[in-house]
Amino acid sequence: MYAIVEIAGQQFKVAKDQKVFVHRLAGNEGDTITFDNVLLTADGDQITVGAPAIEGAQVGAKISRHLKGDKVIVFKKKRRKGYRKKNGHRQSLTEIVIESIVGSGAKPAKKEAAKPVAKKTTAKKAAKGDDLKKIEGIGPKAAEALTNAGIETFAKLAKAEPANIKEILVAASSRLAHLEPGTWPQQAQLAADGNWDELKVLQDKLDGGK
């Protein structure tokens, strides 16, 4: 009798008393383990195929030892680049001996109840600020400087004094020192109130006055 069973992500054709090398398994030498994911069993002419696994089928095995496989050399080279790299790898393996193959009626191995995973409480993202670049005279850098100073909405900008805004710009970068924020609070108040038509008229006047 033989069976095809999945062990540690690989499929093996196994028979009783056969030694099999598989990827490293959890457990100590001498431990008895069972595998429930049996895909096929064959006993003489009687063949049973699972869909995908056979219900009640089980393969029992005993851990003989833990070891490492033969070294594999990985060599990388890039032509005309002077690049060469050599690495070695030894796969961690476990040697098991198949002790029994049960075609059906085996009791499934008890699985530990999954512990409830505590839901991660993520802080709500702060509400996204207004697009300060809609204010005449504010570019990306000026908007970033104001946001970093805590002025990220039209309402906050409307309450700010032009002198304080000027200090924020100068402290952020000397390249922003030429900006004149005298009308920014007025524009921001119109934007905060949703008076976009009035804001456009005001900005047109500012453009013409420059």
Side-chain angles (χ1 to χ4, degrees):
M1 182 176 184
Y2 68 88
I4 296 178
V5 59
E6 183 175 328
I7 303 174
Q10 295 178 304
Q11 294 180 9
F12 297 92
K13 179 182 178 182
V14 299
K16 189 176 180 182
D17 298 328
Q18 179 183 347
K19 292 183 179 180
V20 183
F21 293 92
V22 300
H23 289 316
R24 181 64 61 89
L25 300 176
N28 300 320
E29 295 182 6
D31 289 352
T32 300
I33 51 178
T34 57
F35 305 102
D36 298 328
N37 198 7
V38 181
L39 309 177
L40 179 147
T41 59
D43 188 3
D45 295 333
Q46 186 177 356
I47 298 176
T48 305
V49 181
I54 302 173
E55 186 177 354
Q58 194 175 85
V59 173
K62 184 177 181 180
I63 297 177
S64 296
R65 55 177 175 147
H66 296 298
L67 68 157
K68 285 190 175 183
D70 296 334
K71 180 176 285 188
V72 177
I73 302 298
V74 181
F75 183 75
K76 296 181 181 179
K77 177 183 178 181
K78 293 183 180 179
R79 194 168 53 140
R80 294 193 294 271
K81 299 293 184 181
Y83 175 86
R84 294 185 178 186
K85 193 170 184 181
K86 181 179 179 182
N87 286 323
H89 173 72
R90 296 185 67 189
Q91 181 68 36
S92 296
L93 303 173
T94 297
E95 181 185 18
I96 61 175
V97 178
I98 305 301
E99 293 187 328
S100 64
I101 299 175
V102 179
S104 62
K107 294 182 180 179
K110 293 183 179 179
K111 295 182 180 180
E112 295 182 1
K115 296 181 180 179
V117 180
K119 293 183 179 180
K120 295 182 180 179
T121 55
T122 54
K124 292 184 178 179
K125 293 183 179 178
K128 191 176 181 180
D130 297 322
D131 186 4
L132 299 181
K133 297 191 294 297
K134 292 182 178 180
I135 303 300
E136 182 69 30
I138 298 182
K141 294 295 183 182
E144 182 181 356
L146 293 172
T147 300
N148 292 338
I151 303 176
E152 71 277 359
T153 63
F154 294 135
K156 291 183 179 180
L157 182 59
K159 296 178 181 179
E161 294 293 333
N164 293 337
I165 298 174
K166 185 74 173 180
E167 292 179 2
I168 293 172
L169 297 175
V170 173
S173 173
S174 59
R175 296 183 179 181
L176 303 177
H178 69 284
L179 298 177
E180 294 297 334
T183 63
W184 291 4
Q186 182 184 359
Q187 295 184 62
Q189 187 62 58
L190 292 174
D193 295 338
N195 298 324
W196 298 105
D197 292 337
E198 295 182 27
L199 176 61
K200 186 176 185 305
V201 173
L202 175 59
Q203 291 178 342
D204 289 342
K205 291 179 180 179
L206 292 174
D207 287 338
K210 286 186 179 180

